[in-house]
């Protein structure tokens, strides 16, 4: 985490959803992600309809979010190699806990971190994070690499949306009234980041 006036820089996006600009020093994150992916490589998850997601994913923590013909669910085992998911790095845990606390959600203890990898032209359609057992815990989402346009709607997928540009190191925390809001990422424009190249990484911490 970076030093500075964190609370002065925070921005409420909607009830229960907070943007923490530049909260993370992503230079510290890259080697940890590389270590995780050496054990559980990125892959295109298959959906129930037999399609493959454009965004590549992996996980760390005691549980990993997976998708297959059975639908969306959490698993203790990486289906790609049959092994437990890599342990969540201590720095990841600390960032998630501190970001949640700064946004009004004390006591957050994530047990799952979904790693999404975007390249220009990929996107994430509007969806709810609803595969967890308890919705009282927030979601903590960390952005790294090239910019992306994040959008949030509400409890329904249709209707007007609120958009915000996310840059390297930004964190979005949402819980309470916004915990089940539909949200997503618009198609990424061609760009290049000095550390991560033409890619965006998103770490999503959950209490599964």
């Amino acid at each position: 985490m970076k030093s500075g006036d964190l609370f002065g820089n925070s921005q409420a996006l909607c009830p229960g959803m907070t943007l923490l600009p530049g909260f993370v020093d992503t230079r510290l994150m890259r080697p940890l992600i590389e270590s995780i992916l050496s054990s559980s490589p990125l892959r295109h998850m298959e959906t129930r309809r037999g399609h493959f997601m454009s965004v590549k994913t992996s996980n760390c923590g005691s549980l990993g979010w997976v998708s297959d013909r059975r639908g969306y669910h959490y698993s203790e085992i990486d289906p790609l190699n049959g092994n437990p998911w890599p342990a969540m790095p201590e720095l990841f845990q600390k960032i998630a806990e501190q970001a949640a606390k700064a946004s009004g959600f004390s006591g957050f203890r994530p047990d799952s971190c979904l790693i999404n990898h975007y390249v220009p032209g990929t996107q994430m359609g509007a969806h709810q994070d609803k595969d967890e057992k308890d919705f009282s815990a927030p979601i903590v989402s960390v952005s790294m690499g090239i910019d992306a346009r994040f959008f949030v709607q509400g409890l329904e997928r249709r209707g007007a949306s609120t958009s915000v540009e996310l840059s390297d190191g930004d964190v979005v925390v949402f819980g309470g009234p916004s915990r089940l809001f539909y949200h997503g990422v618009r198609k990424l424009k061609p760009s290049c980041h000095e550390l991560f190249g033409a890619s965006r990484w998103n770490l999503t911490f959950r209490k599964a």
Side-chain angles (χ1 to χ4, degrees), residues 43 45 57-67 72-79 84-86 111-115 131 206 208:
R43 78 292 306 266
M45 293 282 190
T57 68
S58 186
N59 293 272
C60 67
S62 58
L63 292 169
W65 184 88
V66 297
S67 173
Y72 307 127
H73 57 97
Y74 282 93
S75 172
E76 296 178 349
I77 301 300
D78 180 350
W85 297 101
D111 55 15
S112 178
C113 174
L114 172 64
I115 302 171
D131 301 308
R206 299 113 179 257

Side-chain angles (χ1 to χ4, degrees), residues 16-20 96 99-100 103 105 138-141 171-175 178:
M17 183 175 288
T18 302
L19 169 65
L20 305 174
S103 303
F105 299 99
I139 302 289
V140 175
S141 176
V171 176
V172 174
V173 180
F174 54 101
S178 65

Side-chain angles (χ1 to χ4, degrees), residues 4 11 63 68 85 93 108 121-122 124 133 140 155:
Q11 175 186 346
L63 292 169
D68 53 32
W85 297 101
Q93 189 92 17
F108 178 53
T122 58
M124 183 71 71
K133 293 181 178 180
V140 175
L155 291 175

Side-chain angles (χ1 to χ4, degrees), residues 92-108:
F92 283 18
Q93 189 92 17
K94 184 177 181 180
I95 286 171
E97 292 175 3
Q98 291 299 317
K101 182 178 181 181
S103 303
F105 299 99
S106 298
F108 178 53

